[in-house]
Amino acid sequence: MSVNGGKNEQAPSNPAALAKTEAQLKRVIETFIELGVMVHDFQGTVEAKEGLVERVNMTTQQFRSLVETSADLTEAIPIDVIQYIEDGRNPDVYTREFVEVLAKQNHYLNGKMEATRQFRDILAEQIKIAYPDLELAVNNSLKRTDDKSTTE
Amino acid sequence: MSTLSKDETSIVVKKKINQTNSSPPPIPHITQNYIPLSHVINNFVQYTYSELQHILETLPSNGSDDNKKMKLLEFIINSRKEFVKIYVLTKWAKVTKDISKCIDIVAWLNGQRNCFDNVINALYGIERTLGGAKLRNPDISTALDVLSLGHPTANLFNFVPPKPLTPQLILSTLHDLNVLLTIRLALIPDLPEEFQHYKIANGRATFSIHNAFDIDIGIADESSDAAFFLIDFRFTFNGAQAVSTNIKAKLEMRSNEVLARHGLRGLFNTLMIFTNNYKLSVLHKELLVLRNGLWTGVISVFFNTDRSHLILHYWIHRPGGRNIIELGLSKSNSLSLRWTREGKVVNDFDLSAEISDQIQDRLSAEWLLERITSLHLEHIISSTNIELLALLNLPDDSPDTSANNKGNRNILYDASKITIVGANDKKRLKIRLTSSRYTVFTVDQLTGRSVLENPNNLTISAERSLNELTEDHHGAAEVIFKLRLISLQDEIRARACATGWINNVSIHLSSDDIRYHFGQSTKFILYLRQPKWPLGSFILVTLGGNIMPRWWISQLSPKGESWTINFLEQIVVRQNIDAVYDYKLFDKLVQFATSRIAIHSICLQLKAYDIQYKRLKDIQGNPIVSLDTTSIAKSTWAHNLMFLQLAADSEKNTVFLVQGKVKSLSNLCDIPSSDPSIILNPKLGTFAIKVVATDFMSNVLTNIDAPKLVTRTPGHVATMPADKENAKLISSTPTTEKFATGGIIQIIRNKLAQVERVVSYVDLIRASKLALSEVSMNRLSFNYGSEPSLAASIILSDINTMSDKFLADENIQLVLNKESPHRFIQAYLQSILNLKGLKPIIWILTTTLNLYQAILKVSQLHEAKFNEADFTAVVDGLDYHDLELKKGHVTIIHRNATTLRLIYKDICTIDIKLVHKSPSELVYYITQDKLIVNKQFQQNSQIPILTGTMGQFDINCNRKLEEVWQGIHKLNILNPDSKGTNDSNNQSSLSPLMPLDKGIVCQPAFIGSFVEEIDKLITTFINPVLNFDIVKAE
């Protein structure tokens, strides 16, 4: 997983464009349904032919507008999610699992931080006992690594 | 580090902290594996559009409408499904910002986690490296002191030195300790037996274990359960080295542990194990030295220290089971030895105690090795000896049951021939091989190789097979036993070859035959023969078992690949192992065996000739063949039984001697023995035929197998008279064959025939009442008249050629006196003699004597008259033929012995023939051939020179003769009595002449006179002719 130079350069989202694209997609889907019905019921009459041609043209029209609309989108999608949808799975499951991993990692690291802090205090205490000369230096180190002191 | 600098650094750090606090660093954003949504939609729309376009373009070519519909509908449905997915993606895209953030955080947290892991690893590293911090600071000042002064100058770190112990204190303390030890040891209930005897002195208890170790034990305090501790340890066996300080320290530590836990018993066991292990290791070292020294390559040593097990494998190249000496600890922790000899553990060797004592005491590996190998060697020698003796006592299963061969002297070896030799030890087995050779069997103590001393080829190969025995030494006895047989065989062969015998190695009898004829135990057979002997004749020497070599005369014949025995007869050779098979024996054997073979072959010939015979033995056991004389040859003079045997004559030649008795002495007593091969003894009435065998032997013997065989009676099978006592005739030779030529039988037959012939002739001559003047085997002379000219001889040559008509006198020559009247018909007589024998000759000679005497007289008379005339004067005018005719005027033509013709030239022809008047009476029948006379007369009448006078006297003569034939003209025939040649009584009553129609018959007694008278009559007519011829010539 590469890191983008440590900068937060994520583009601002464009909810309007997203909604517009969504609506356009809905239309395309509906057009496909209609087109399917027409083809299914196609009788070979002139009217039917004209209707079908018109509908196909409409579809291509909708394709064009869809491309135009989607050009404004800034969202980037992880490949894993695309794979999820391609496999017919719910992308929300991906979302949920990822959030759970995050929470777990957070807990673990929190515990590590706490343990390390305790170890630091004990070590400092022992060093101070064993080497009284180093008390100042130890205190200095404690002070600099104490998150409370750093927040002060 | 100064305090100022600390402050400065803390300030710098604070500044930095403040800077960072103002804006915490952003979480790095992840961009990889993201695809813009617009990109997705754009691509998909383009794809769908192009697909739609493609479908619409290709739709018209899709056949029916339904197909077109289906195709289009498929596309539409699929596209809609994909657009639905795009729609879902778009809907999800609403949360994409948050999810992206989540991903960033997770990645960051992972980085933090790695940081913690690194910290922990770093702490571990610090922990490891802190060990160096534990090192003490160097005591540099002391080090400098030691370096400069050689010793530290600082005082002993202010220690207070203890007060020196006073001798009194030491003494009392030691005494106290002694008392305490005494009490303690006395109170221990289960003191080991070996520790029962101890010595307490100087504050310590000393336990001594013989041949092991001494230990000193001390005690620490006065309490009743105070622990003992080890003070000192020493080995006390020979050859042990002093225990090094290092080992002693370890031993002390270990001993004190054991003392604390298991008490003195435990200590004893531990120290015994230690001591014995030490002994084993010392032995191991010694063995290693031996292995690299004298015993290189013949021992291998392995020491398992964990199991206290020392394995010594000696004689490693000796085949058979392994020979191992194992040393280890027994259950009682003492050293023990196990000896595996040839793969079997030796339990019963009574020297284990001695060996273990020696091991405990001397601890010499070399001694152990030598002792064990020595024991092993003695065991091999003694067991081989026992097995050899057992082999010697094997029962003899040979089929020979002859009484001569029983008894002790037939034993080949007895126990005295095998002796164990050696000054102090029984390591050598001396074995007599033959009378002149012995060998000594022993085993090399170093390598275990079997050794046979006194080497030659045989012992070397035997030694090789001894060393290849894979079993154990059990085979050794058999190998040695075999070696003795081979040595004996070799000696016999060598001696035999030196005396001219031939050893045939290519003959193989079938094993069944060998078993059957010579017994199971027969191992070797030597085939000896003389060069002169026929092909199948051999002397067999069989060796096997523990009996003396047996000698056989045999007749073998090849049958396929192997040979079969046709004839077998055992020879009893007086021998024992001490006897040398010297040249004399073999010389004797030649004679002996040759005679046996000759007799055997003669028997074969006899059988082939269907001559009845029987094999006998004389007092000395020599073979004799008794023959039926009548079946050999016709014999009127000898008894039916003859004996044939081989004997030596005065010149020491071997001769075949045929002896028999004559029936009556008179037959032969007068015949001088001119033939040396035929001996007649008139006094005893015996005869002997002697054939020198050396001359005939090869010929005679060769004829046995000579290919000149003719079938006599196909299908006829003669039976051999069984002679089980003396010989075994295994299978008869072809019985339908006889020998074409030669052979001793033929010679004997010829000799007998020769005698028979002479005897028969003598008998005949005597029966004819003729005087025998000379008699020998080759010549018979007799007179058939009183005059000396009437002598005849018969010269008999030897009969050497075989013929069924050998009595037909083909080899008889008749010799008549030069003056004999019969000399003119000698050729006829010879042919009659050859055809019909002597009897008709004698008959002719005596019967026709008158006639031929008269003929001779007539012939001589004419020759004399012819000579009286001056013949030479007329020779020029006559040719030779005329001269011949005129020579005697009478020509005598002998038709055969009893028929002759007198031709009076140009006058008449008179035939005289001896004929039977009756079966018992002979007469001469005389005729005149008139035809010839007339014819001659007519022919001659045409000759101008002879016409006239000649016809006249011819006619007169014939007329006169006619009168004679008719009995008109009486001749003056003399009474034969006056000549005294014939029986006068019979003849006087008879008329001497009897005229017939043609010719006249004359009694034999008067024929001489008659012929002379006739001649006289005719001559009177011839004389004028002679005169005429001579006158004419004049």
Side-chain angles (χ1 to χ4, degrees), chain B residues 20-64:
Chain B
T20 54
N21 281 344
S22 60
S23 58
I27 292 170
H29 178 55
I30 309 295
T31 55
Q32 203 182 8
N33 286 339
Y34 279 87
I35 296 172
L37 184 59
S38 59
H39 200 134
V40 174
I41 293 171
N42 197 11
N43 275 0
F44 189 70
V45 166
Q46 278 187 9
Y47 169 74
T48 313
Y49 179 74
S50 67
E51 280 292 298
L52 178 63
Q53 203 168 11
H54 178 72
I55 288 283
L56 292 177
E57 280 172 2
T58 57
L59 205 57
S61 64
N62 265 343
S64 66

Side-chain angles (χ1 to χ4, degrees), chain A residues 90-108:
Chain A
N90 190 350
D92 288 342
V93 173
Y94 177 82
T95 311
R96 195 187 71 224
E97 280 177 357
F98 212 91
V99 170
E100 281 172 0
V101 167
L102 176 61
K104 213 156 61 177
Q105 283 278 43
N106 193 37
H107 276 301
Y108 180 80

Side-chain angles (χ1 to χ4, degrees), chain B residues 516-641:
Chain B
Y516 178 70
H517 298 300
F518 307 118
Q520 293 274 8
S521 59
T522 297
K523 297 271 187 275
F524 304 102
I525 300 180
L526 209 55
Y527 301 89
L528 299 173
R529 64 184 295 268
Q530 283 285 312
K532 280 193 283 182
W533 285 3
L535 282 179
S537 298
F538 290 97
I539 288 276
L540 306 189
V541 186
T542 58
L543 297 107
N546 188 28
I547 53 171
M548 293 301 292
R550 288 178 294 161
W551 301 68
W552 310 77
I553 294 174
S554 76
Q555 180 79 34
L556 308 180
S557 61
K559 185 179 178 185
E561 289 181 355
S562 67
W563 292 60
T564 54
I565 299 174
N566 292 329
F567 168 75
L568 195 67
E569 183 182 355
Q570 187 166 4
I571 313 171
V572 179
V573 177
R574 298 188 193 284
Q575 55 188 348
N576 61 55
I577 180 65
D578 296 321
V580 180
Y581 290 98
D582 54 3
Y583 305 129
K584 201 175 156 189
L585 171 73
F586 285 102
D587 276 347
K588 273 187 187 171
L589 202 61
V590 172
Q591 291 178 4
F592 182 83
T594 305
S595 68
R596 298 294 168 124
I597 287 170
I599 292 290
H600 171 65
S601 56
I602 283 167
C603 288
L604 287 180
Q605 291 184 38
L606 289 172
K607 198 177 151 208
Y609 282 124
D610 269 355
I611 295 168
Q612 290 181 2
Y613 71 98
K614 197 171 181 183
R615 293 185 64 159
L616 305 169
K617 275 186 179 178
D618 67 0
I619 301 164
Q620 283 86 30
N622 295 320
I624 295 181
V625 181
S626 69
L627 302 168
D628 182 10
T629 318
T630 53
S631 59
I632 297 181
K634 183 187 163 196
S635 171
T636 55
W637 53 278
H639 276 290
N640 283 351
L641 196 61

Side-chain angles (χ1 to χ4, degrees), chain A residues 3-4 11 75-77 105 150, chain B residues 21 28-29 35 37 96-97 110:
Chain A
V3 175
N4 192 5
E75 281 78 4
I77 309 292
Q105 283 278 43
T150 53
Chain B
N21 281 344
H29 178 55
I35 296 172
L37 184 59
T96 186
K97 297 284 180 196
N110 276 339

Side-chain angles (χ1 to χ4, degrees), chain B residues 716-766:
Chain B
H716 169 71
V717 179
T719 49
M720 180 79 182
D723 191 2
K724 290 171 186 169
E725 233 182 66
N726 301 325
K728 298 173 185 172
L729 192 74
I730 305 309
S731 70
S732 59
T733 48
T735 53
T736 58
E737 294 164 349
K738 76 169 192 179
F739 305 100
T741 57
I744 187 73
I745 299 301
Q746 192 53 45
I747 294 167
I748 292 166
R749 184 179 268 196
N750 290 343
K751 295 284 179 193
L752 287 174
Q754 209 169 328
V755 176
E756 171 67 26
R757 190 173 57 184
V758 172
V759 169
S760 65
Y761 287 174
V762 167
D763 285 350
L764 181 67
I765 291 165
R766 282 179 180 159

Side-chain angles (χ1 to χ4, degrees), chain B residues 374-390:
Chain B
S374 174
L375 279 171
H376 192 162
L377 175 50
E378 283 172 21
H379 169 75
I380 291 173
I381 295 297
S382 67
S383 58
T384 305
N385 187 27
I386 289 165
E387 281 159 21
L388 267 176
L389 293 179

Side-chain angles (χ1 to χ4, degrees), chain A residues 1-4 6-8 10-13 18 21-22 25-26 28-29 32-33 35-36 39-40 42 56 60 63 66-67 70-71 73-79 81-82 85-86 91-92 94-95 98-99 101-102 105-106 108-109 112-113 116 119 140 144 150, chain B residues 10 13 17 21 26-38 40-42 45 48-49 52 56 69 72-73 75-76 79-80 82-94 96-97 99-103 105-107 109-110 112-113 116 120 123:
Chain A
M1 194 177 277
S2 71
V3 175
N4 192 5
K7 296 175 184 174
N8 193 357
Q10 206 169 355
S13 70
L18 198 60
T21 307
E22 207 176 310
L25 276 168
K26 263 186 194 170
V28 169
I29 291 164
F32 268 118
I33 292 170
L35 197 61
V39 170
H40 185 263
F42 186 67
V56 169
T60 54
F63 281 175
L66 181 62
V67 170
S70 67
L73 291 174
T74 56
E75 281 78 4
I77 309 292
I79 288 176
V81 175
I82 294 172
I85 293 166
E86 190 65 39
D92 288 342
Y94 177 82
T95 311
F98 212 91
V99 170
V101 167
L102 176 61
Q105 283 278 43
N106 193 37
Y108 180 80
L109 272 178
K112 274 280 180 196
M113 283 166 70
T116 310
F119 175 72
N140 184 29
R144 280 161 54 202
T150 53
Chain B
S10 65
V13 170
I17 287 168
N21 281 344
I27 292 170
H29 178 55
I30 309 295
T31 55
Q32 203 182 8
N33 286 339
Y34 279 87
I35 296 172
L37 184 59
S38 59
V40 174
I41 293 171
N42 197 11
V45 166
T48 313
Y49 179 74
L52 178 63
L56 292 177
K69 271 186 185 177
L72 197 54
L73 267 175
F75 166 73
I76 288 165
S79 298
R80 193 185 71 87
E82 293 303 315
F83 270 100
V84 169
K85 284 180 182 174
I86 296 293
Y87 178 71
V88 170
L89 197 63
T90 315
K91 292 272 278 184
W92 186 82
K94 285 176 190 167
T96 186
K97 297 284 180 196
I99 290 299
S100 177
K101 192 77 181 172
C102 276
I103 288 169
I105 292 168
V106 165
L109 287 176
N110 276 339
Q112 291 300 305
R113 188 173 170 168
F116 278 109
I120 289 164
L123 283 171

